[in-house]
Amino acid sequence: MKIKVSKIKKDSIFTDEYLALTQNNELDFERKKVCVVYGPNGTGKTSLSKVLNQDKDVEYTLDIGGIEHTENSDPVAHIISDQNDRNVIQGETQDFILGDDIKREYQLKEKLNDSFSLLFEKELVGILKKNYQIAKMSTNFDELILDKDLLGYIADIANSRSRGKKIDRKNFIDKVYEYQLAETPDYDEAKLRFFIEDFAKNDSIIRALSNYNFQLDDKEQSIVKLEEQSEAVIILEKFNYIDECLVCDHPIDVVAKLAQKNEQYEQTSNQMDEKEKEIAEKIIKNLSQPDSFNIKDRVRTAIKKSDKSFIEDLVVEFNNYKSVYWQLLKHDFITTSTNHALQEDYEAYQALLKNKPTFGSEDILFIEQFLNESLEREISLERDDNNNIRLMLGGKDFLNKNRQDLELSNGEQNFLSLAFELLKAKNSACELIVLDDPISSFDSIYKNKLAYAILSFLSSKKTLVLTHNTDLIKLLEHQAKQCLNLYYFNNVLGESNGFTPINPQEMSILLYIHEFLNLLREDIKTEIDNEKQFLISLVPFMRGFCQIRGLVEEKNKLTQLMHGYCDETINVTEIYEKLFSDRVLGNVHKISAKEVVGWDYTEFSPLKSESYPLLSKTLRHTLTYLYLRLNVEKVLVDTYAINTNKHDMLSSIIFASFKGNERKKIQHRVFFMSKKTLLNEFNHFEMDMNIFQPAIDITDKALNKEREQILKRLKTL
């Protein structure tokens, strides 16, 4: 996988060059799964992680495998923030994949929850409403559902506020799987639709006829009479424009006749008992069309012929469709419910619940062992009352807890949060994982463990590490040889910006001191641009190396080149050849500090920049700061007549030069002391023979600013 960066924008943090980045804009994960982007503090590494995290008001355009991604696309990366943003270990136990059995347990639990949710909230709700007119907790169909348990399930599912939440799942599974379903009965679709639509009404004709005891006496004749009068009214209203009878062709006054029939209808209705009137009204006004059961004709025939069998046959048919309704509903309910493998999943889930949860994966075992050793608190798994597995530290929850509630040191909290963020990232759906300064505040033990954890936990991912710590690069390399591609991240107006790849040979000398020494012994020869500058840029490093090897005389000679008040000429070529090789330098260079003070700093170029651009920059920066140190000491000693036998160190010279409490002296003293630490750090390698730091942490722009400030101040003295 290659990521081509065309655009990065967050407020005004990135230079305009990042709005259309065309050079140094590719991160290559194809051969190595880890890319490390090194950038000094203030470069914008954390802002870069926030851009990839799609924070508010960010923009980006990335090409990943030929597909363009922007801030409006799906997330391209899972971000692990720096320690300042890792105040809480957020997530649930299952986010961290704690062994195959526990993973399977959570998968089954999630599957069961999804199945029940789909079943109760969508499938059964839809079937009950669409096919059986059951859309409320209380329905007119309760009397047709002949199983008490199913009636309870249906009532809770139909309740929009519950949707099955009150149903005991084990009871439900046991019930629906114990049914032995018979074949569905034969029925007439039109009659079933009529039955369901009518039965859903509060004034159902089916319920009315089923519950009415016909006597077939004179009272019930009024039902037929009322129906006939109603039909006459309907016809007259429909053909109110005619002036003769449609049947006999006699002249007719439609208005008068309609009034007469309405009056007759009212008289007949008023003379009827309530029960007969109810039946008549339902037949006349509320009978659904088409009349699939031929209810109107069968009731009329029964009354006219005084033959109750017509009614009895109709009620028998109604009862048959009550049974059909129940059989079909039961069949659809049970079939739909058993289509989800609920019983199989539930039994498998219950079997796993009987086991004590234990850590299973190598990753979590590593964390468990290391935490228990380092924190003296056991990390453990326990079940709560709902059988949820909880991660515990010293018997207490630590997920989603504030840092102050964990009773751990900052280092312990940072390790704990980062370790579990790595586990979460391992389980992320994103292929790309971004770590922002993951080990900036850890001691050496934690750093080594976390370097292992980064490579181990994220072995199946593409990992982008943003850092300003060369220790992390070395630790990753020592865990797995040639595991990473390294890039230098720059974001300074007017400079070469982007993600500059560090070539393999330069990575080698950055990571391994012996490789750097081997380079100085021979291959550096073709890379030297100015031999004299090259030698002086290496003087601080050579002095530290002499200290390590016990070469006191050589170390003292090189010290003469590190103090601006010294004027002794030193054969630097001789010392270089004793330390490294006589196959590199073409000339003998005898140099004094006084000579270096007079050099033109605008012409500093110890190395060519083609093969070793990072080393070239490093030596140029180191030479510049040595030059500045020499100038500061030279000017202060000469201007204020400092006795260098008594005051030979830079800090002592500064204090001797600006003694007293006068405001101007205090200002000078503060200025030069604020620069002293940095000047010294570039010139002392006795404690750390890493020649690249802090040189690579200073941009050219920052270096120029420091240089101009110091030289300008010296001119004012």
Side-chain angles (χ1 to χ4, degrees):
M1 180 175 81
K2 289 185 178 181
I3 299 178
K4 187 175 182 180
V5 182
S6 300
K7 180 181 182 181
I8 299 175
K9 186 177 188 300
K10 185 181 188 303
D11 302 323
S12 58
I13 291 173
F14 299 99
T15 65
D16 289 347
E17 202 168 345
Y18 283 93
L19 296 176
L21 197 60
T22 57
Q23 294 182 334
N24 297 327
N25 64 341
E26 191 170 87
L27 301 171
D28 186 356
F29 293 90
E30 289 192 350
R31 292 184 179 85
K32 298 173 184 178
K33 292 185 176 181
V34 179
C35 285
V36 177
V37 171
Y38 183 96
N41 278 330
T43 310
K45 300 186 299 299
T46 295
S47 294
L48 175 60
S49 73
K50 292 183 183 298
V51 169
L52 296 176
N53 196 42
Q54 297 182 328
D55 280 14
K56 185 179 179 181
D57 297 329
V58 303
E59 297 177 28
Y60 67 76
T61 303
L62 308 176
D63 183 295
I64 304 178
I67 300 174
E68 183 176 275
H69 298 263
T70 71
E71 68 278 2
N72 297 316
S73 308
D74 290 336
V76 296
H78 177 96
I79 310 297
I80 299 179
S81 302
D82 65 13
Q83 65 187 42
N84 294 324
D85 290 330
R86 290 199 313 270
N87 291 326
V88 177
I89 304 174
Q90 296 180 333
E92 303 300 327
T93 304
Q94 62 267 32
D95 295 335
F96 303 101
I97 310 182
L98 309 177
D100 292 338
D101 283 347
I102 295 175
K103 181 180 178 182
R104 174 64 176 156
E105 179 180 322
Y106 274 102
Q107 287 174 338
L108 283 170
K109 183 177 182 180
E110 184 175 358
K111 185 182 177 186
L112 282 166
N113 287 337
D114 290 344
S115 296
F116 275 110
S117 177
L118 178 62
L119 186 63
F120 290 162
E121 298 175 22
K122 292 185 179 180
E123 293 179 344
L124 289 177
V125 168
I127 289 171
L128 291 172
K129 183 177 181 179
K130 180 180 179 182
N131 297 349
Y132 299 100
Q133 295 285 304
I134 298 176
K136 297 179 180 178
M137 181 173 59
S138 177
T139 75
N140 294 321
F141 295 96
D142 288 358
E143 64 183 271
L144 306 184
I145 301 172
L146 304 181
D147 184 285
K148 182 179 178 181
D149 289 327
L150 256 61
L151 177 59
Y153 301 152
I154 290 170
D156 197 51
I157 292 169
N159 183 357
S160 60
R161 293 184 178 181
S162 180
R163 290 289 189 249
K165 290 182 175 64
K166 297 178 181 179
I167 295 175
D168 182 281
R169 293 185 175 184
K170 182 180 186 305
N171 176 280
F172 180 88
I173 292 171
D174 291 343
K175 186 69 179 179
V176 297
Y177 279 92
E178 76 178 10
Y179 268 102
Q180 298 296 324
L181 293 175
E183 292 185 10
T184 55
D186 293 330
Y187 60 93
D188 181 281
E189 181 66 34
K191 287 184 176 181
L192 179 62
R193 286 298 102 207
F194 180 96
F195 173 86
I196 293 174
E197 289 173 11
D198 180 80
F199 215 80
K201 301 174 183 176
N202 291 327
D203 54 356
S204 164
I205 185 63
I206 292 175
R207 277 199 300 274
L209 290 174
S210 299
N211 297 329
Y212 181 73
N213 184 18
F214 278 86
Q215 300 298 318
L216 301 179
D217 53 18
D218 290 341
K219 286 184 178 180
E220 291 167 352
Q221 292 294 331
S222 61
I223 295 175
V224 176
K225 186 176 181 180
L226 194 68
E227 182 202 347
E228 291 171 348
Q229 292 168 342
S230 174
E231 291 291 341
V233 169
I234 291 171
I235 291 171
L236 289 169
E237 287 178 340
K238 183 175 181 180
F239 299 101
N240 59 8
Y241 54 85
I242 63 175
D243 55 7
E244 59 181 23
C245 178
L246 292 171
V247 178
C248 63
D249 297 329
H250 283 90
I252 186 174
D253 184 344
V254 175
V255 174
K257 184 59 68 175
L258 181 59
Q260 179 189 5
K261 288 300 179 183
N262 275 321
E263 184 179 354
Q264 290 173 352
Y265 181 91
E266 288 297 325
Q267 289 175 354
T268 303
S269 177
N270 291 335
Q271 292 169 2
M272 294 175 69
D273 290 342
E274 287 300 321
K275 289 187 177 180
E276 287 77 22
K277 186 189 292 187
E278 180 186 1
I279 295 295
E281 292 284 346
K282 293 183 186 304
I283 291 174
I284 293 167
K285 295 184 177 180
N286 299 326
L287 190 60
S288 300
Q289 296 297 329
D291 181 2
S292 303
F293 287 94
N294 202 17
I295 294 173
K296 189 179 291 188
D297 288 344
R298 291 165 82 171
V299 171
R300 184 189 305 116
T301 302
I303 294 172
K304 287 287 188 182
K305 293 184 176 183
S306 295
D307 186 348
K308 201 171 183 176
S309 65
F310 287 94
I311 302 295
E312 291 171 344
D313 290 346
L314 187 59
V315 172
V316 167
E317 199 167 0
F318 290 159
N319 289 334
N320 178 55
Y321 274 88
K322 289 180 182 180
S323 177
V324 168
Y325 177 91
W326 163 237
Q327 294 297 326
L328 292 176
L329 186 152
K330 178 172 61 174
H331 181 275
D332 285 353
F333 190 95
I334 299 301
T335 302
T336 303
S337 298
T338 54
N339 276 342
H340 286 277
L342 295 175
Q343 189 175 60
E344 179 183 349
D345 291 341
Y346 186 80
E347 289 175 353
Y349 175 63
Q350 291 298 318
L352 288 171
L353 288 182
K354 294 178 182 178
N355 300 326
K356 177 178 172 57
T358 56
F359 297 121
S361 71
E362 180 180 345
D363 300 340
I364 195 65
L365 287 171
F366 163 78
I367 292 179
E368 177 192 20
Q369 180 179 351
F370 187 63
L371 285 176
N372 291 347
E373 288 177 355
S374 303
L375 308 185
E376 297 182 355
R377 299 186 188 195
E378 284 195 17
I379 184 169
S380 61
L381 293 172
E382 297 179 12
R383 294 193 189 279
D384 62 17
D385 294 338
N386 295 318
N387 281 318
N388 295 314
I389 298 176
R390 294 162 57 196
L391 265 168
M392 313 293 283
L393 181 65
K396 296 181 180 180
D397 284 307
F398 66 90
L399 296 181
N400 306 305
K401 298 292 184 183
N402 292 322
R403 291 174 76 105
Q404 59 266 28
D405 298 329
L406 295 179
E407 299 177 359
L408 297 172
S409 70
N410 283 336
E412 291 169 337
Q413 290 170 350
N414 290 336
F415 173 79
L416 191 67
S417 65
L418 180 55
F420 278 89
E421 284 292 342
L422 290 171
L423 284 176
K424 187 191 292 186
K426 178 184 177 181
N427 195 28
S428 169
C430 293
E431 184 181 5
L432 177 65
I433 310 299
V434 178
L435 290 89
D436 182 14
D437 255 340
I439 66 167
S440 57
S441 65
F442 295 118
D443 61 27
S444 60
I445 300 298
Y446 281 119
K447 285 179 180 178
N448 275 287
K449 297 291 185 180
L450 285 168
Y452 165 82
I454 289 169
L455 295 177
S456 175
F457 293 7
L458 304 181
S459 60
S460 63
K461 302 288 188 179
K462 308 295 186 184
T463 305
L464 176 62
V465 180
L466 310 176
T467 187
H468 69 280
N469 194 318
T470 56
D471 286 346
L472 176 58
I473 305 171
K474 294 176 181 178
L475 289 171
L476 291 172
E477 173 69 14
H478 294 329
Q479 289 287 344
K481 298 289 186 183
Q482 299 181 351
C483 68
L484 59 89
N485 286 323
L486 180 62
Y487 298 84
Y488 186 82
F489 180 43
N490 201 39
N491 177 31
V492 179
L493 183 65
E495 295 189 8
S496 176
N497 291 314
F499 307 90
T500 303
I502 306 302
N503 61 48
Q505 63 264 31
E506 199 152 43
M507 265 194 64
S508 178
I509 63 172
L510 173 67
L511 297 173
Y512 299 100
I513 183 67
H514 69 275
E515 293 291 351
F516 178 58
L517 296 177
N518 286 338
L519 176 68
L520 296 179
R521 288 175 183 130
E522 187 163 359
D523 292 345
I524 197 70
K525 178 173 182 161
T526 57
E527 306 302 324
I528 297 173
D529 191 32
N530 183 307
E531 274 195 0
K532 188 174 287 190
Q533 291 180 11
F534 168 71
L535 278 173
I536 294 301
S537 70
L538 280 175
V539 162
F541 180 82
M542 289 193 294
R543 180 177 178 274
F545 196 39
C546 288
Q547 187 103 327
I548 292 172
R549 291 186 56 184
L551 302 176
V552 178
E553 182 181 350
E554 288 77 8
K555 177 249 181 183
N556 290 336
K557 287 182 179 180
L558 291 173
T559 300
Q560 296 294 309
L561 293 172
M562 293 181 63
H563 288 295
Y565 51 81
C566 295
D567 56 7
E568 183 178 345
T569 299
I570 306 298
N571 187 336
V572 191
T573 299
E574 182 180 48
I575 298 175
Y576 183 95
E577 291 179 347
K578 185 171 185 177
L579 289 173
F580 306 119
S581 166
D582 61 0
R583 299 188 298 273
V584 173
L585 302 173
N587 298 294
V588 174
H589 298 283
K590 298 179 179 180
I591 311 169
S592 69
K594 183 178 180 180
E595 179 185 348
V596 176
V597 167
W599 284 0
D600 181 358
Y601 59 81
T602 64
E603 299 295 327
F604 284 171
S605 178
L607 283 186
K608 303 169 187 174
S609 59
E610 288 80 8
S611 299
Y612 296 92
L614 195 61
L615 180 60
S616 174
K617 174 183 176 181
T618 295
L619 294 185
R620 178 164 45 83
H621 284 197
T622 304
L623 176 58
T624 299
Y625 269 94
L626 177 58
Y627 166 84
L628 291 173
R629 175 193 173 92
L630 296 179
N631 269 273
V632 169
E633 289 190 346
K634 172 69 173 171
V635 171
L636 293 184
V637 167
D638 290 351
T639 303
Y640 298 102
I642 304 300
N643 182 352
T644 56
N645 292 322
K646 184 177 180 181
H647 304 287
D648 60 342
M649 302 302 292
L650 178 58
S651 58
S652 180
I653 292 172
I654 293 171
F655 276 100
S657 300
F658 306 109
K659 291 185 293 185
N661 295 320
E662 296 176 25
R663 180 174 177 79
K664 197 167 187 178
K665 290 184 176 180
I666 293 174
Q667 288 176 335
H668 286 321
R669 188 163 67 235
V670 169
F671 173 83
F672 285 109
M673 286 302 295
S674 70
K675 306 297 182 184
K676 189 267 299 186
T677 301
L678 193 57
L679 291 170
N680 280 347
E681 200 169 356
F682 273 87
N683 291 281
H684 288 276
F685 290 90
E686 288 87 345
M687 292 190 298
D688 185 358
M689 293 299 289
N690 181 1
I691 196 171
F692 288 93
Q693 277 190 312
I696 57 173
D697 287 338
I698 303 295
T699 66
D700 287 341
K701 184 176 182 179
L703 173 70
N704 293 340
K705 183 178 179 181
E706 291 273 1
R707 184 189 64 211
E708 296 309 314
Q709 285 179 344
I710 292 171
L711 294 179
K712 182 179 179 181
R713 179 63 65 110
L714 290 176
K715 288 180 180 179
T716 66
L717 300 179

